[in-house]
Amino acid sequence: NQVTGCPTQLVIEKLLEIEADQNMLELYNEVILRDGSYVRASPNYHGEGPWFDFVNIQWEDDEGEAYFLPARCLAFYRKSNECMVLVHSVDVKSNGRVPGYRNSILTTHFKMHCSRNGTPVVYSINCASIDSSLLCYTQGSGDDPSKGSVMIVRPRNEWAYAWYVWNQCLRVKNSNRSSTKPMVDLGNEDMVGKVRKEIAKCIKEHGKTSMVIQF
């Protein structure tokens, strides 16, 4: 209706395609995650305009290994007493390959996953696969990230370990400096890449970086 808004044409088409065997679907504007936080996919939130949150989704590769990838929530709906979400994921191959932008310790740049003709690639998954909400900024696309790129901010529970690893790497790198060998810059691209790999390794091994931080 005019208060809650209507699903976009993309959402309608994808639901009809994915859930062709369903006679009726109940759509929702928000869900509550396990940690009590709210995630929204509303065409017109409180009459103030669209609100479509980005979340971290847990996927599995061909070998059964779990990994996380950001996605934009387009709609929530109920199917056989299960809470489902329609998502538009980022393109994993675009990580660090967005022209004009460079990844940092706390931010990652992606393009949205689209087909060759520019149509968003949309998936329907169980809401249980949502790990957490994400802070995201669209770039060069107005309100439609599918036409541009997005900058994802690393979850705050990873910040402490990120700074810890960064500090350790800088101390090692700068320990042998001399008057002819200046200190490594904080934004050194090789250093940033090394720190990001260490954080990713920690998350893969322990699930949560906070598990291995010691002070």
Side-chain angles (χ1 to χ4, degrees):
N1 55 41
Q2 293 182 353
V3 177
T4 60
C6 299
T8 64
Q9 188 62 33
L10 173 65
V11 168
I12 294 174
E13 292 176 356
K14 290 301 179 180
L15 285 176
L16 290 175
E17 175 187 331
I18 296 172
E19 306 296 352
D21 59 336
Q22 299 294 310
N23 295 323
M24 183 180 69
L25 290 173
E26 294 181 4
L27 270 63
Y28 301 90
N29 290 332
E30 64 183 24
V31 296
I32 304 176
L33 302 184
R34 293 177 292 272
D35 61 1
S37 60
Y38 286 76
V39 175
R40 298 181 173 90
S42 176
N44 190 25
Y45 184 71
H46 287 186
E48 297 179 356
W51 185 334
F52 296 97
D53 280 327
F54 275 78
V55 294
N56 226 6
I57 301 290
Q58 181 173 329
W59 304 86
E60 285 189 358
D61 60 22
D62 295 336
E63 298 179 355
E65 290 288 331
Y67 67 97
F68 294 96
L69 199 63
R72 191 188 196 201
C73 298
L74 302 179
F76 303 104
Y77 64 98
R78 186 185 298 275
K79 177 184 178 182
S80 302
N81 293 323
E82 293 286 341
C83 182
M84 308 295 291
V85 57
L86 207 64
V87 298
H88 182 197
S89 175
V90 300
D91 184 353
V92 64
K93 296 180 180 179
S94 69
N95 185 349
R97 298 180 179 179
V98 179
Y101 299 96
R102 193 175 72 178
N103 290 345
S104 71
I105 301 296
L106 298 183
T107 60
T108 305
H109 297 271
F110 292 98
K111 290 182 179 179
M112 300 304 292
H113 192 190
C114 296
S115 61
R116 290 185 177 181
N117 64 5
T119 302
V121 177
V122 175
Y123 301 93
S124 175
I125 61 175
N126 196 298
C127 286
S129 297
I130 299 177
D131 179 72
S132 63
S133 57
L134 290 173
L135 177 59
C136 169
Y137 295 93
T138 58
Q139 299 167 150
S141 59
D143 294 326
D144 186 2
S146 66
K147 297 179 180 179
S149 62
V150 294
M151 181 183 75
I152 304 295
V153 180
R154 185 181 294 279
R156 288 186 64 184
N157 65 340
E158 299 176 9
W159 288 13
Y161 189 70
W163 295 124
Y164 172 77
V165 174
W166 200 359
N167 181 63
Q168 293 295 101
C169 290
L170 284 171
R171 290 178 63 182
V172 171
K173 196 70 174 180
N174 290 324
S175 60
N176 297 321
R177 73 183 184 91
S178 63
S179 57
T180 58
K181 186 178 180 181
M183 296 183 71
V184 176
D185 186 271
L186 285 172
N188 179 275
E189 190 171 357
D190 292 337
M191 181 65 65
V192 170
K194 181 177 181 180
V195 174
R196 288 175 61 91
K197 288 181 180 179
E198 286 296 321
I199 297 171
K201 178 181 177 182
C202 176
I203 293 175
K204 184 176 181 179
E205 292 180 353
H206 302 279
K208 298 292 183 180
T209 55
S210 58
M211 294 176 60
V212 296
I213 299 176
Q214 296 181 352
F215 297 102

